[in-house]
Amino acid sequence: VLRGFRETKGEIPAALNGFLYSCLRSTKNQRRAILVNLLRQFDVTANTGLSMMLYLADNLAYIPYTVIDEPLFLIHRIDLMVPVIGPNILKNIKESLSLPPQYEVKT
């Protein structure tokens, strides 16, 4: 599983796409557009796999935010999305963690 951050001994973790974000974040509208596009990948209609969602979530967590508005905007958008997409993501996680039928414990 590819994670979306890099850990270097003695340093805080850094997002793998952090440099790209820092290059493209010149205006508030651009910063928000990047974050919204990353968050769209978590939508049910995007059919994004769990490993890709993990990669994106790691990147969103470790992006080098410079303005307090950026993480607050992200939190607000996630707060709006969770009631809509949360149950479907939980269902996908449950399905991916379930055992194949031949290995299930019969009661």
Side-chain angles (χ1 to χ4, degrees):
V1 173
L2 177 64
R3 299 300 302 255
F5 64 95
R6 164 184 348 117
E7 286 185 295
T8 307
K9 201 169 208 174
E11 295 181 15
I12 60 171
L16 292 180
N17 291 335
F19 178 73
L20 177 65
Y21 180 79
S22 62
C23 290
L24 298 174
R25 68 172 179 206
S26 61
T27 66
K28 184 176 185 177
N29 288 336
Q30 286 178 332
R31 289 191 303 264
R32 288 187 172 193
I34 293 167
L35 295 175
V36 167
N37 283 325
L38 288 174
L39 286 174
R40 277 192 192 134
Q41 299 305 309
F42 290 90
D43 193 6
V44 177
T45 59
N47 290 330
T48 307
L50 289 176
S51 59
M52 179 58 114
M53 286 186 197
L54 177 63
Y55 177 80
L56 292 171
D58 285 342
N59 272 285
L60 288 169
Y62 292 110
I63 282 177
Y65 300 111
T66 56
V67 182
I68 192 67
D69 179 47
E70 296 169 352
L72 291 177
F73 175 76
L74 185 64
I75 291 168
H76 172 70
R77 293 296 296 223
I78 291 171
D79 192 43
L80 294 174
M81 291 174 66
V82 166
V84 177
I85 66 170
N88 290 326
I89 291 176
L90 286 175
K91 183 180 133 245
N92 291 341
I93 291 171
K94 188 176 180 181
E95 288 173 358
S96 70
L97 293 176
S98 65
L99 292 172
Q102 67 267 23
Y103 295 110
E104 287 187 9
V105 178
K106 300 192 185 340
T107 56

